[in-house]
Amino acid sequence: DTEVTQTPKHLVMGMTNKKSLKCEQHMGHRAMYWYKQKAKKPPELMFVYSYEKLSINESVPSRFSPECPNSSLLNLHLHALQPEDSALYLCASSQSYGGNTEAFFGQGTRLTVV
Amino acid sequence: GDSVTQMEGPVTLSEEAFLTINCTYTATGYPSLFWYVQYPGEGLQLLLKATKADDKGSNKGFEATYRKETTSFHLEKGSVQVSDSAVYFCALRNTNAGKSTFGDGTTLTVKP
């Protein structure tokens, strides 16, 4: 199983809503990532978890709150978002934080903030 | 810091044409190099990889060779199909960096 599963696939939320994005992998990977991708652009790293601990936060606004409940799951909690936060949110995982092996990506959640 | 530069797109080809997408990188040490493909409305899929100099990665008719002397990892395919239309990202990952570095992406459109 080389899949990273993200839910939901699409999400529309108002600026006062609270919602969560979910990500799951069963490859035994110990590093998990959240990326934000705007149209026609490369993914931008938001957060990295290594062994369920936050290792990198790329100065992401606090309206995005990551959580790693266990080694297979990664959540991204959203609150008071702005229309400019509309984007494709990608989850990824890799064997480890420090290695140079590939990252496996999920299909993404297409988020629209209205 | 590490960086990846891809040839600017978009690239439009006719079916069965030869494809080259250039990728060069700047990095310390010995990074691994990757090509990812993104079809419309989807996430990134790993297309191929190379982990050391002179390695050739290949998959689905695509190939790329890790050239340390020219710091390049150009993507090639001998005969493209309409189904190859997608965005292609070159990326590198350095040991202890904790993250991948991506190029800007190249949009390929193949016409029948």
Side-chain angles (χ1 to χ4, degrees), chain A residues 33 37 58 98 100 102-103, chain B residues 32 36 38 49 93 96 99:
Chain A
Y33 312 79
Q37 187 182 26
E58 294 282 24
N100 58 1
E102 64 270 31
Chain B
S32 290
Y36 286 89
Q38 186 173 31
K49 66 178 183 180
R93 189 178 170 93
N96 296 324
K99 59 184 181 180

Side-chain angles (χ1 to χ4, degrees), chain A residues 12-19 78-81 114:
Chain A
V12 179
M13 61 184 290
M15 288 189 282
T16 58
N17 290 159
K18 284 185 183 180
K19 296 285 185 185
L78 314 172
H79 173 54
L81 295 193
V114 297

Side-chain angles (χ1 to χ4, degrees), chain B residues 12-89:
Chain B
T12 302
L13 295 173
S14 297
E15 208 164 22
E16 298 184 4
F18 184 84
L19 168 71
T20 299
I21 301 178
N22 289 340
C23 171
T24 57
Y25 68 91
T26 302
T28 56
Y30 304 94
S32 290
L33 302 175
F34 309 95
W35 277 101
Y36 286 89
V37 59
Q38 186 173 31
Y39 298 102
E42 298 188 10
L44 274 68
Q45 299 177 27
L46 179 68
L47 182 58
L48 52 84
K49 66 178 183 180
T51 57
K52 61 183 188 297
D54 300 324
D55 266 4
K56 178 188 279 190
S58 61
N59 185 26
K60 299 180 183 179
F62 291 89
E63 292 183 343
T65 301
Y66 189 146
R67 301 281 188 205
K68 194 160 177 64
E69 63 276 12
T70 54
T71 61
S72 65
F73 192 54
H74 305 321
L75 182 68
E76 296 182 337
K77 186 175 186 184
S79 175
V80 293
Q81 306 300 311
V82 172
S83 56
D84 295 326
S85 298
V87 182
Y88 292 82
F89 291 99

